[in-house]
Amino acid sequence: MKNNNTIDPIEARKQRIARQKGSQAALLGVLIGHVMILLGGVLIARSIFGFLEQDMMNSDEPPLAIFSMAAGLPFIICGLFVHISASRRYTGKLLSFPGIGPGPVLFTGVAIGAWWGALSLTKMGILWIIPVILTVIAGLLLITSILLRMKRSAKYETLTRMITEGKIIPALITDIPEIDPSSGGLIGTITVKFTDLDGVDRWVQKTGQWKRSDLPKTGDAATVLYDPKQPENLSRIWVGPPGSTTIADFTLWHS
């Protein structure tokens, strides 16, 4: 296949990434990653109780749990890789997950495997407390993930309203962390200065993420969207690249 040097490869890559955001293929990858992580957690927890069951039987034969252990760990590792990669394609951001993250899914699988293993023992004894504790942890993680998701949704709704009701003005980046030459990008805090409608200078810090090719520098221009009725309310201030006017622009640097 011949190379086409009439197309800007950087722009082509940006367009490809934009097409992947919110795609069904990326979402399917997220779900596949979830299933693999869940199954891995089940197998790992079940294998631990398999070793205990083998000890209770005083058997010298290699426990079948070895096979569950050997299969469970690769499932978790591969599942995390698939989930993180697919989530990045779906959201366009690193370490940003649609729905719940991998933590609650993993602990749910571990809790299921623990109950499976505990109920398989001839004498459970005090061991019943292990699946109970794991179930509580999985439940707390799931609730926390749902609450965070609801918080992000409320923030997005506020941003949607502020696009029409708020004020968009130019701003200046006064500080951004330097990155190591070998780093591919930055996840860190940016400090931006802007002047409100009353002529008051204000500063806002936002945590964002940038690829090396898109990383701004101190002194570069930026754009601020804020509520002119509450200019001191940091939760109602968004920062985006120069010329930002849309929701997508103001979620480009941070979510």
Side-chain angles (χ1 to χ4, degrees):
M1 183 177 67
K2 295 182 179 179
N3 293 325
N4 188 348
N5 62 358
T6 62
I7 299 176
D8 184 350
I10 297 177
E11 183 62 29
R13 181 173 179 271
K14 290 181 178 179
Q15 292 179 4
R16 184 172 66 254
I17 293 174
R19 288 194 299 268
Q20 291 176 341
K21 290 180 64 176
S23 68
Q24 292 184 352
L27 183 59
L28 178 61
V30 172
L31 296 177
I32 292 174
H34 273 163
V35 172
M36 295 176 68
I37 294 169
L38 180 72
L39 181 58
V42 171
L43 293 175
I44 288 291
R46 179 63 183 90
S47 68
I48 294 174
F49 281 88
F51 286 112
L52 294 174
E53 185 178 13
Q54 198 74 12
D55 290 338
M56 292 178 181
M57 296 172 59
N58 295 320
S59 174
D60 294 330
E61 294 294 328
L64 295 177
I66 291 179
F67 299 102
S68 295
M69 181 72 74
L73 189 58
F75 264 112
I76 293 175
I77 295 174
C78 292
L80 285 171
F81 177 78
V82 171
H83 183 268
I84 292 174
S85 299
S87 295
R88 184 174 184 178
R89 291 196 299 272
Y90 187 85
T91 65
K93 295 178 179 293
L94 181 65
L95 301 179
S96 178
F97 307 114
I100 62 174
V105 175
L106 175 60
F107 271 88
T108 299
V110 171
I112 293 172
W115 279 113
W116 179 16
L119 294 174
S120 300
L121 297 176
T122 54
K123 294 182 180 180
M124 188 184 302
I126 194 65
L127 293 177
W128 64 268
I129 197 172
I130 296 178
V132 170
I133 292 175
L134 291 172
T135 300
V136 171
I137 293 175
L140 290 175
L141 287 174
L142 182 59
I143 292 173
T144 301
S145 181
I146 292 174
L147 291 176
L148 289 174
R149 183 65 181 176
M150 292 173 62
K151 183 178 179 181
R152 288 197 298 268
S153 297
K155 185 177 180 181
Y156 184 83
E157 291 176 3
T158 302
L159 172 58
T160 303
R161 186 170 63 253
M162 289 301 299
I163 283 291
T164 57
E165 299 177 359
K167 182 68 175 178
I168 298 177
I169 59 175
L172 184 69
I173 298 173
T174 60
D175 183 68
I176 188 169
E178 295 183 0
I179 62 174
D180 186 87
S182 61
S183 176
L186 169 69
I187 298 179
T189 302
I190 184 174
T191 303
V192 175
K193 175 185 176 182
F194 67 99
T195 303
D196 64 21
L197 295 179
D198 296 324
V200 178
D201 289 338
R202 298 183 182 275
W203 287 261
V204 61
Q205 290 185 315
K206 293 292 183 179
T207 300
Q209 54 179 281
W210 301 263
K211 297 175 182 178
R212 172 176 286 277
S213 58
D214 301 325
L215 185 66
K217 302 184 294 296
T218 299
D220 282 357
T223 305
V224 161
L225 167 65
Y226 78 103
D227 185 352
K229 298 178 181 179
Q230 304 179 48
E232 73 286 349
N233 190 341
L234 299 180
S235 65
R236 297 171 73 86
I237 299 177
W238 286 264
V239 177
S244 296
T245 57
T246 66
I247 293 176
D249 293 334
F250 285 104
T251 57
L252 187 62
W253 283 358
H254 59 87
S255 58

PDB file of all heavy atoms in Angstrom, residues 72-109:
ATOM      1  N   GLY A  72      -6.989 -17.812  36.747  1.00  0.00           N
ATOM      2  CA  GLY A  72      -7.583 -16.585  37.274  1.00  0.00           C
ATOM      3  C   GLY A  72      -6.707 -15.361  37.110  1.00  0.00           C
ATOM      4  O   GLY A  72      -7.178 -14.290  36.684  1.00  0.00           O
ATOM      5  N   LEU A  73      -5.422 -15.476  37.430  1.00  0.00           N
ATOM      6  CA  LEU A  73      -4.532 -14.319  37.366  1.00  0.00           C
ATOM      7  C   LEU A  73      -4.386 -13.778  35.947  1.00  0.00           C
ATOM      8  O   LEU A  73      -4.485 -12.557  35.742  1.00  0.00           O
ATOM      9  CB  LEU A  73      -3.173 -14.677  37.966  1.00  0.00           C
ATOM     10  CG  LEU A  73      -2.204 -13.511  38.173  1.00  0.00           C
ATOM     11  CD1 LEU A  73      -2.830 -12.460  39.081  1.00  0.00           C
ATOM     12  CD2 LEU A  73      -0.890 -14.012  38.772  1.00  0.00           C
ATOM     13  N   PRO A  74      -4.168 -14.625  34.929  1.00  0.00           N
ATOM     14  CA  PRO A  74      -4.107 -14.085  33.560  1.00  0.00           C
ATOM     15  C   PRO A  74      -5.414 -13.422  33.122  1.00  0.00           C
ATOM     16  O   PRO A  74      -5.391 -12.424  32.398  1.00  0.00           O
ATOM     17  CB  PRO A  74      -3.822 -15.326  32.707  1.00  0.00           C
ATOM     18  CG  PRO A  74      -3.135 -16.270  33.637  1.00  0.00           C
ATOM     19  CD  PRO A  74      -3.788 -16.047  34.963  1.00  0.00           C
ATOM     20  N   PHE A  75      -6.551 -13.979  33.577  1.00  0.00           N
ATOM     21  CA  PHE A  75      -7.829 -13.360  33.243  1.00  0.00           C
ATOM     22  C   PHE A  75      -7.901 -11.938  33.794  1.00  0.00           C
ATOM     23  O   PHE A  75      -8.353 -11.013  33.113  1.00  0.00           O
ATOM     24  CB  PHE A  75      -8.990 -14.194  33.805  1.00  0.00           C
ATOM     25  CG  PHE A  75      -9.584 -15.157  32.811  1.00  0.00           C
ATOM     26  CD1 PHE A  75      -9.441 -16.521  32.971  1.00  0.00           C
ATOM     27  CD2 PHE A  75     -10.294 -14.679  31.718  1.00  0.00           C
ATOM     28  CE1 PHE A  75      -9.985 -17.406  32.056  1.00  0.00           C
ATOM     29  CE2 PHE A  75     -10.845 -15.554  30.798  1.00  0.00           C
ATOM     30  CZ  PHE A  75     -10.687 -16.929  30.969  1.00  0.00           C
ATOM     31  N   ILE A  76      -7.445 -11.754  35.041  1.00  0.00           N
ATOM     32  CA  ILE A  76      -7.490 -10.430  35.653  1.00  0.00           C
ATOM     33  C   ILE A  76      -6.561  -9.469  34.926  1.00  0.00           C
ATOM     34  O   ILE A  76      -6.946  -8.329  34.602  1.00  0.00           O
ATOM     35  CB  ILE A  76      -7.104 -10.514  37.149  1.00  0.00           C
ATOM     36  CG1 ILE A  76      -8.168 -11.286  37.923  1.00  0.00           C
ATOM     37  CG2 ILE A  76      -6.943  -9.115  37.742  1.00  0.00           C
ATOM     38  CD1 ILE A  76      -7.813 -11.527  39.380  1.00  0.00           C
ATOM     39  N   ILE A  77      -5.336  -9.899  34.671  1.00  0.00           N
ATOM     40  CA  ILE A  77      -4.352  -9.029  34.013  1.00  0.00           C
ATOM     41  C   ILE A  77      -4.809  -8.652  32.603  1.00  0.00           C
ATOM     42  O   ILE A  77      -4.805  -7.470  32.231  1.00  0.00           O
ATOM     43  CB  ILE A  77      -2.970  -9.717  33.973  1.00  0.00           C
ATOM     44  CG1 ILE A  77      -2.432  -9.892  35.400  1.00  0.00           C
ATOM     45  CG2 ILE A  77      -1.988  -8.890  33.142  1.00  0.00           C
ATOM     46  CD1 ILE A  77      -1.145 -10.684  35.470  1.00  0.00           C
ATOM     47  N   CYS A  78      -5.226  -9.649  31.824  1.00  0.00           N
ATOM     48  CA  CYS A  78      -5.681  -9.368  30.454  1.00  0.00           C
ATOM     49  C   CYS A  78      -6.960  -8.530  30.470  1.00  0.00           C
ATOM     50  O   CYS A  78      -7.145  -7.638  29.635  1.00  0.00           O
ATOM     51  CB  CYS A  78      -5.917 -10.676  29.705  1.00  0.00           C
ATOM     52  SG  CYS A  78      -4.410 -11.615  29.374  1.00  0.00           S
ATOM     53  N   GLY A  79      -7.843  -8.825  31.434  1.00  0.00           N
ATOM     54  CA  GLY A  79      -9.083  -8.067  31.539  1.00  0.00           C
ATOM     55  C   GLY A  79      -8.836  -6.603  31.841  1.00  0.00           C
ATOM     56  O   GLY A  79      -9.494  -5.725  31.285  1.00  0.00           O
ATOM     57  N   LEU A  80      -7.882  -6.330  32.744  1.00  0.00           N
ATOM     58  CA  LEU A  80      -7.539  -4.942  33.057  1.00  0.00           C
ATOM     59  C   LEU A  80      -6.978  -4.232  31.831  1.00  0.00           C
ATOM     60  O   LEU A  80      -7.321  -3.075  31.559  1.00  0.00           O
ATOM     61  CB  LEU A  80      -6.520  -4.905  34.202  1.00  0.00           C
ATOM     62  CG  LEU A  80      -7.054  -5.196  35.598  1.00  0.00           C
ATOM     63  CD1 LEU A  80      -5.906  -5.334  36.590  1.00  0.00           C
ATOM     64  CD2 LEU A  80      -8.008  -4.102  36.057  1.00  0.00           C
ATOM     65  N   PHE A  81      -6.130  -4.922  31.093  1.00  0.00           N
ATOM     66  CA  PHE A  81      -5.549  -4.324  29.885  1.00  0.00           C
ATOM     67  C   PHE A  81      -6.645  -3.998  28.870  1.00  0.00           C
ATOM     68  O   PHE A  81      -6.681  -2.892  28.308  1.00  0.00           O
ATOM     69  CB  PHE A  81      -4.521  -5.279  29.278  1.00  0.00           C
ATOM     70  CG  PHE A  81      -3.921  -4.791  27.989  1.00  0.00           C
ATOM     71  CD1 PHE A  81      -2.924  -3.828  27.992  1.00  0.00           C
ATOM     72  CD2 PHE A  81      -4.357  -5.294  26.770  1.00  0.00           C
ATOM     73  CE1 PHE A  81      -2.374  -3.369  26.798  1.00  0.00           C
ATOM     74  CE2 PHE A  81      -3.815  -4.837  25.577  1.00  0.00           C
ATOM     75  CZ  PHE A  81      -2.823  -3.871  25.595  1.00  0.00           C
ATOM     76  N   VAL A  82      -7.554  -4.969  28.638  1.00  0.00           N
ATOM     77  CA  VAL A  82      -8.642  -4.753  27.679  1.00  0.00           C
ATOM     78  C   VAL A  82      -9.559  -3.629  28.151  1.00  0.00           C
ATOM     79  O   VAL A  82      -9.946  -2.748  27.376  1.00  0.00           O
ATOM     80  CB  VAL A  82      -9.450  -6.054  27.490  1.00  0.00           C
ATOM     81  CG1 VAL A  82     -10.710  -5.790  26.664  1.00  0.00           C
ATOM     82  CG2 VAL A  82      -8.598  -7.115  26.807  1.00  0.00           C
ATOM     83  N   HIS A  83      -9.889  -3.636  29.437  1.00  0.00           N
ATOM     84  CA  HIS A  83     -10.816  -2.640  29.980  1.00  0.00           C
ATOM     85  C   HIS A  83     -10.237  -1.229  29.910  1.00  0.00           C
ATOM     86  O   HIS A  83     -10.922  -0.288  29.478  1.00  0.00           O
ATOM     87  CB  HIS A  83     -11.143  -2.993  31.433  1.00  0.00           C
ATOM     88  CG  HIS A  83     -12.143  -2.074  32.068  1.00  0.00           C
ATOM     89  ND1 HIS A  83     -11.782  -0.955  32.771  1.00  0.00           N
ATOM     90  CD2 HIS A  83     -13.501  -2.095  32.077  1.00  0.00           C
ATOM     91  CE1 HIS A  83     -12.868  -0.322  33.199  1.00  0.00           C
ATOM     92  NE2 HIS A  83     -13.915  -1.003  32.803  1.00  0.00           N
ATOM     93  N   ILE A  84      -8.986  -1.056  30.318  1.00  0.00           N
ATOM     94  CA  ILE A  84      -8.363   0.269  30.308  1.00  0.00           C
ATOM     95  C   ILE A  84      -8.211   0.782  28.876  1.00  0.00           C
ATOM     96  O   ILE A  84      -8.484   1.950  28.585  1.00  0.00           O
ATOM     97  CB  ILE A  84      -7.001   0.234  31.026  1.00  0.00           C
ATOM     98  CG1 ILE A  84      -7.208  -0.016  32.524  1.00  0.00           C
ATOM     99  CG2 ILE A  84      -6.238   1.535  30.821  1.00  0.00           C
ATOM    100  CD1 ILE A  84      -5.929  -0.221  33.300  1.00  0.00           C
ATOM    101  N   SER A  85      -7.789  -0.099  27.965  1.00  0.00           N
ATOM    102  CA  SER A  85      -7.613   0.312  26.564  1.00  0.00           C
ATOM    103  C   SER A  85      -8.940   0.699  25.929  1.00  0.00           C
ATOM    104  O   SER A  85      -9.043   1.731  25.251  1.00  0.00           O
ATOM    105  CB  SER A  85      -6.960  -0.830  25.767  1.00  0.00           C
ATOM    106  OG  SER A  85      -5.686  -1.154  26.286  1.00  0.00           O
ATOM    107  N   ALA A  86      -9.967  -0.129  26.149  1.00  0.00           N
ATOM    108  CA  ALA A  86     -11.275   0.155  25.557  1.00  0.00           C
ATOM    109  C   ALA A  86     -11.894   1.406  26.184  1.00  0.00           C
ATOM    110  O   ALA A  86     -12.533   2.200  25.486  1.00  0.00           O
ATOM    111  CB  ALA A  86     -12.203  -1.042  25.734  1.00  0.00           C
ATOM    112  N   SER A  87     -11.701   1.584  27.493  1.00  0.00           N
ATOM    113  CA  SER A  87     -12.241   2.770  28.157  1.00  0.00           C
ATOM    114  C   SER A  87     -11.582   4.027  27.621  1.00  0.00           C
ATOM    115  O   SER A  87     -12.243   5.069  27.451  1.00  0.00           O
ATOM    116  CB  SER A  87     -12.027   2.673  29.673  1.00  0.00           C
ATOM    117  OG  SER A  87     -12.766   1.604  30.223  1.00  0.00           O
ATOM    118  N   ARG A  88     -10.295   3.950  27.349  1.00  0.00           N
ATOM    119  CA  ARG A  88      -9.592   5.124  26.800  1.00  0.00           C
ATOM    120  C   ARG A  88     -10.118   5.470  25.416  1.00  0.00           C
ATOM    121  O   ARG A  88     -10.299   6.652  25.093  1.00  0.00           O
ATOM    122  CB  ARG A  88      -8.094   4.840  26.748  1.00  0.00           C
ATOM    123  CG  ARG A  88      -7.276   6.040  26.281  1.00  0.00           C
ATOM    124  CD  ARG A  88      -5.803   5.771  26.374  1.00  0.00           C
ATOM    125  NE  ARG A  88      -5.024   6.954  26.021  1.00  0.00           N
ATOM    126  CZ  ARG A  88      -3.699   7.020  26.052  1.00  0.00           C
ATOM    127  NH1 ARG A  88      -3.004   5.962  26.447  1.00  0.00           N
ATOM    128  NH2 ARG A  88      -3.060   8.123  25.718  1.00  0.00           N
ATOM    129  N   ARG A  89     -10.402   4.442  24.617  1.00  0.00           N
ATOM    130  CA  ARG A  89     -10.964   4.717  23.292  1.00  0.00           C
ATOM    131  C   ARG A  89     -12.380   5.276  23.415  1.00  0.00           C
ATOM    132  O   ARG A  89     -12.769   6.164  22.641  1.00  0.00           O
ATOM    133  CB  ARG A  89     -10.978   3.437  22.446  1.00  0.00           C
ATOM    134  CG  ARG A  89      -9.602   2.943  22.035  1.00  0.00           C
ATOM    135  CD  ARG A  89      -9.708   1.937  20.905  1.00  0.00           C
ATOM    136  NE  ARG A  89     -10.485   0.768  21.295  1.00  0.00           N
ATOM    137  CZ  ARG A  89      -9.981  -0.301  21.883  1.00  0.00           C
ATOM    138  NH1 ARG A  89      -8.684  -0.352  22.170  1.00  0.00           N
ATOM    139  NH2 ARG A  89     -10.754  -1.327  22.199  1.00  0.00           N
ATOM    140  N   TYR A  90     -13.148   4.767  24.367  1.00  0.00           N
ATOM    141  CA  TYR A  90     -14.546   5.190  24.506  1.00  0.00           C
ATOM    142  C   TYR A  90     -14.659   6.609  25.046  1.00  0.00           C
ATOM    143  O   TYR A  90     -15.487   7.392  24.571  1.00  0.00           O
ATOM    144  CB  TYR A  90     -15.284   4.226  25.437  1.00  0.00           C
ATOM    145  CG  TYR A  90     -16.769   4.478  25.518  1.00  0.00           C
ATOM    146  CD1 TYR A  90     -17.635   3.920  24.572  1.00  0.00           C
ATOM    147  CD2 TYR A  90     -17.307   5.258  26.533  1.00  0.00           C
ATOM    148  CE1 TYR A  90     -19.008   4.153  24.636  1.00  0.00           C
ATOM    149  CE2 TYR A  90     -18.679   5.500  26.597  1.00  0.00           C
ATOM    150  CZ  TYR A  90     -19.515   4.939  25.653  1.00  0.00           C
ATOM    151  OH  TYR A  90     -20.864   5.178  25.715  1.00  0.00           O
ATOM    152  N   THR A  91     -13.838   6.956  26.043  1.00  0.00           N
ATOM    153  CA  THR A  91     -13.932   8.284  26.664  1.00  0.00           C
ATOM    154  C   THR A  91     -12.956   9.289  26.078  1.00  0.00           C
ATOM    155  O   THR A  91     -13.131  10.501  26.253  1.00  0.00           O
ATOM    156  CB  THR A  91     -13.667   8.187  28.171  1.00  0.00           C
ATOM    157  OG1 THR A  91     -12.305   7.758  28.406  1.00  0.00           O
ATOM    158  CG2 THR A  91     -14.621   7.201  28.829  1.00  0.00           C
ATOM    159  N   GLY A  92     -11.910   8.796  25.416  1.00  0.00           N
ATOM    160  CA  GLY A  92     -10.881   9.689  24.893  1.00  0.00           C
ATOM    161  C   GLY A  92      -9.900  10.139  25.948  1.00  0.00           C
ATOM    162  O   GLY A  92      -9.045  10.987  25.682  1.00  0.00           O
ATOM    163  N   LYS A  93      -9.990   9.550  27.161  1.00  0.00           N
ATOM    164  CA  LYS A  93      -9.110   9.950  28.256  1.00  0.00           C
ATOM    165  C   LYS A  93      -8.523   8.712  28.922  1.00  0.00           C
ATOM    166  O   LYS A  93      -9.173   7.671  29.028  1.00  0.00           O
ATOM    167  CB  LYS A  93      -9.878  10.770  29.303  1.00  0.00           C
ATOM    168  CG  LYS A  93     -10.389  12.107  28.798  1.00  0.00           C
ATOM    169  CD  LYS A  93     -11.186  12.815  29.887  1.00  0.00           C
ATOM    170  CE  LYS A  93     -11.692  14.158  29.401  1.00  0.00           C
ATOM    171  NZ  LYS A  93     -10.584  15.105  29.178  1.00  0.00           N
ATOM    172  N   LEU A  94      -7.288   8.871  29.407  1.00  0.00           N
ATOM    173  CA  LEU A  94      -6.640   7.799  30.140  1.00  0.00           C
ATOM    174  C   LEU A  94      -7.216   7.741  31.551  1.00  0.00           C
ATOM    175  O   LEU A  94      -7.472   8.770  32.178  1.00  0.00           O
ATOM    176  CB  LEU A  94      -5.125   8.037  30.197  1.00  0.00           C
ATOM    177  CG  LEU A  94      -4.282   6.972  30.924  1.00  0.00           C
ATOM    178  CD1 LEU A  94      -4.360   5.650  30.185  1.00  0.00           C
ATOM    179  CD2 LEU A  94      -2.826   7.440  31.028  1.00  0.00           C
ATOM    180  N   LEU A  95      -7.422   6.523  32.056  1.00  0.00           N
ATOM    181  CA  LEU A  95      -7.939   6.300  33.414  1.00  0.00           C
ATOM    182  C   LEU A  95      -9.294   6.969  33.631  1.00  0.00           C
ATOM    183  O   LEU A  95      -9.587   7.478  34.715  1.00  0.00           O
ATOM    184  CB  LEU A  95      -6.931   6.800  34.465  1.00  0.00           C
ATOM    185  CG  LEU A  95      -5.540   6.154  34.415  1.00  0.00           C
ATOM    186  CD1 LEU A  95      -4.645   6.746  35.492  1.00  0.00           C
ATOM    187  CD2 LEU A  95      -5.635   4.643  34.555  1.00  0.00           C
ATOM    188  N   SER A  96     -10.119   6.971  32.587  1.00  0.00           N
ATOM    189  CA  SER A  96     -11.484   7.456  32.695  1.00  0.00           C
ATOM    190  C   SER A  96     -12.399   6.332  32.222  1.00  0.00           C
ATOM    191  O   SER A  96     -12.265   5.864  31.088  1.00  0.00           O
ATOM    192  CB  SER A  96     -11.689   8.708  31.836  1.00  0.00           C
ATOM    193  OG  SER A  96     -13.012   9.158  31.904  1.00  0.00           O
ATOM    194  N   PHE A  97     -13.291   5.870  33.107  1.00  0.00           N
ATOM    195  CA  PHE A  97     -14.067   4.672  32.814  1.00  0.00           C
ATOM    196  C   PHE A  97     -15.552   4.992  32.651  1.00  0.00           C
ATOM    197  O   PHE A  97     -16.115   5.711  33.481  1.00  0.00           O
ATOM    198  CB  PHE A  97     -13.908   3.643  33.939  1.00  0.00           C
ATOM    199  CG  PHE A  97     -12.481   3.332  34.274  1.00  0.00           C
ATOM    200  CD1 PHE A  97     -11.958   3.672  35.512  1.00  0.00           C
ATOM    201  CD2 PHE A  97     -11.663   2.706  33.351  1.00  0.00           C
ATOM    202  CE1 PHE A  97     -10.639   3.398  35.826  1.00  0.00           C
ATOM    203  CE2 PHE A  97     -10.341   2.421  33.652  1.00  0.00           C
ATOM    204  CZ  PHE A  97      -9.822   2.765  34.892  1.00  0.00           C
ATOM    205  N   PRO A  98     -16.192   4.467  31.613  1.00  0.00           N
ATOM    206  CA  PRO A  98     -17.645   4.596  31.511  1.00  0.00           C
ATOM    207  C   PRO A  98     -18.305   3.633  32.493  1.00  0.00           C
ATOM    208  O   PRO A  98     -17.883   2.488  32.631  1.00  0.00           O
ATOM    209  CB  PRO A  98     -17.929   4.195  30.057  1.00  0.00           C
ATOM    210  CG  PRO A  98     -16.803   3.269  29.700  1.00  0.00           C
ATOM    211  CD  PRO A  98     -15.605   3.763  30.459  1.00  0.00           C
ATOM    212  N   GLY A  99     -19.331   4.069  33.174  1.00  0.00           N
ATOM    213  CA  GLY A  99     -19.964   3.197  34.163  1.00  0.00           C
ATOM    214  C   GLY A  99     -19.069   3.018  35.372  1.00  0.00           C
ATOM    215  O   GLY A  99     -18.389   3.937  35.813  1.00  0.00           O
ATOM    216  N   ILE A 100     -19.050   1.809  35.912  1.00  0.00           N
ATOM    217  CA  ILE A 100     -18.218   1.523  37.081  1.00  0.00           C
ATOM    218  C   ILE A 100     -16.820   1.106  36.636  1.00  0.00           C
ATOM    219  O   ILE A 100     -16.634   0.592  35.539  1.00  0.00           O
ATOM    220  CB  ILE A 100     -18.845   0.430  37.970  1.00  0.00           C
ATOM    221  CG1 ILE A 100     -18.965  -0.892  37.189  1.00  0.00           C
ATOM    222  CG2 ILE A 100     -20.204   0.866  38.465  1.00  0.00           C
ATOM    223  CD1 ILE A 100     -19.446  -2.043  38.034  1.00  0.00           C
ATOM    224  N   GLY A 101     -15.850   1.323  37.490  1.00  0.00           N
ATOM    225  CA  GLY A 101     -14.474   0.968  37.171  1.00  0.00           C
ATOM    226  C   GLY A 101     -14.191  -0.498  37.427  1.00  0.00           C
ATOM    227  O   GLY A 101     -15.062  -1.261  37.857  1.00  0.00           O
ATOM    228  N   PRO A 102     -12.961  -0.939  37.201  1.00  0.00           N
ATOM    229  CA  PRO A 102     -12.621  -2.353  37.360  1.00  0.00           C
ATOM    230  C   PRO A 102     -12.573  -2.816  38.818  1.00  0.00           C
ATOM    231  O   PRO A 102     -12.729  -4.004  39.084  1.00  0.00           O
ATOM    232  CB  PRO A 102     -11.235  -2.453  36.711  1.00  0.00           C
ATOM    233  CG  PRO A 102     -10.669  -1.070  36.808  1.00  0.00           C
ATOM    234  CD  PRO A 102     -11.833  -0.135  36.679  1.00  0.00           C
ATOM    235  N   GLY A 103     -12.359  -1.890  39.771  1.00  0.00           N
ATOM    236  CA  GLY A 103     -12.260  -2.279  41.176  1.00  0.00           C
ATOM    237  C   GLY A 103     -13.499  -2.979  41.704  1.00  0.00           C
ATOM    238  O   GLY A 103     -13.412  -4.109  42.234  1.00  0.00           O
ATOM    239  N   PRO A 104     -14.690  -2.364  41.590  1.00  0.00           N
ATOM    240  CA  PRO A 104     -15.902  -3.041  42.062  1.00  0.00           C
ATOM    241  C   PRO A 104     -16.158  -4.369  41.358  1.00  0.00           C
ATOM    242  O   PRO A 104     -16.649  -5.313  41.971  1.00  0.00           O
ATOM    243  CB  PRO A 104     -17.009  -2.027  41.746  1.00  0.00           C
ATOM    244  CG  PRO A 104     -16.323  -0.705  41.697  1.00  0.00           C
ATOM    245  CD  PRO A 104     -14.959  -0.987  41.145  1.00  0.00           C
ATOM    246  N   VAL A 105     -15.839  -4.425  40.064  1.00  0.00           N
ATOM    247  CA  VAL A 105     -16.050  -5.664  39.310  1.00  0.00           C
ATOM    248  C   VAL A 105     -15.152  -6.772  39.848  1.00  0.00           C
ATOM    249  O   VAL A 105     -15.588  -7.916  40.052  1.00  0.00           O
ATOM    250  CB  VAL A 105     -15.779  -5.439  37.809  1.00  0.00           C
ATOM    251  CG1 VAL A 105     -15.889  -6.754  37.040  1.00  0.00           C
ATOM    252  CG2 VAL A 105     -16.744  -4.421  37.241  1.00  0.00           C
ATOM    253  N   LEU A 106     -13.880  -6.445  40.113  1.00  0.00           N
ATOM    254  CA  LEU A 106     -12.944  -7.435  40.625  1.00  0.00           C
ATOM    255  C   LEU A 106     -13.387  -7.964  41.990  1.00  0.00           C
ATOM    256  O   LEU A 106     -13.408  -9.179  42.216  1.00  0.00           O
ATOM    257  CB  LEU A 106     -11.542  -6.826  40.719  1.00  0.00           C
ATOM    258  CG  LEU A 106     -10.458  -7.712  41.357  1.00  0.00           C
ATOM    259  CD1 LEU A 106     -10.292  -9.005  40.576  1.00  0.00           C
ATOM    260  CD2 LEU A 106      -9.136  -6.956  41.427  1.00  0.00           C
ATOM    261  N   PHE A 107     -13.745  -7.066  42.894  1.00  0.00           N
ATOM    262  CA  PHE A 107     -14.139  -7.497  44.230  1.00  0.00           C
ATOM    263  C   PHE A 107     -15.474  -8.245  44.211  1.00  0.00           C
ATOM    264  O   PHE A 107     -15.702  -9.121  45.057  1.00  0.00           O
ATOM    265  CB  PHE A 107     -14.189  -6.310  45.184  1.00  0.00           C
ATOM    266  CG  PHE A 107     -12.877  -6.040  45.862  1.00  0.00           C
ATOM    267  CD1 PHE A 107     -11.935  -5.220  45.265  1.00  0.00           C
ATOM    268  CD2 PHE A 107     -12.558  -6.648  47.061  1.00  0.00           C
ATOM    269  CE1 PHE A 107     -10.710  -4.978  45.869  1.00  0.00           C
ATOM    270  CE2 PHE A 107     -11.340  -6.421  47.678  1.00  0.00           C
ATOM    271  CZ  PHE A 107     -10.408  -5.580  47.083  1.00  0.00           C
ATOM    272  N   THR A 108     -16.346  -7.914  43.269  1.00  0.00           N
ATOM    273  CA  THR A 108     -17.580  -8.687  43.129  1.00  0.00           C
ATOM    274  C   THR A 108     -17.257 -10.122  42.729  1.00  0.00           C
ATOM    275  O   THR A 108     -17.822 -11.081  43.276  1.00  0.00           O
ATOM    276  CB  THR A 108     -18.506  -8.046  42.077  1.00  0.00           C
ATOM    277  OG1 THR A 108     -18.863  -6.731  42.499  1.00  0.00           O
ATOM    278  CG2 THR A 108     -19.762  -8.868  41.882  1.00  0.00           C
ATOM    279  N   GLY A 109     -16.325 -10.281  41.793  1.00  0.00           N
ATOM    280  CA  GLY A 109     -15.902 -11.622  41.396  1.00  0.00           C
ATOM    281  C   GLY A 109     -15.240 -12.379  42.538  1.00  0.00           C
ATOM    282  O   GLY A 109     -15.499 -13.567  42.749  1.00  0.00           O
TER     283      GLY A 109
END
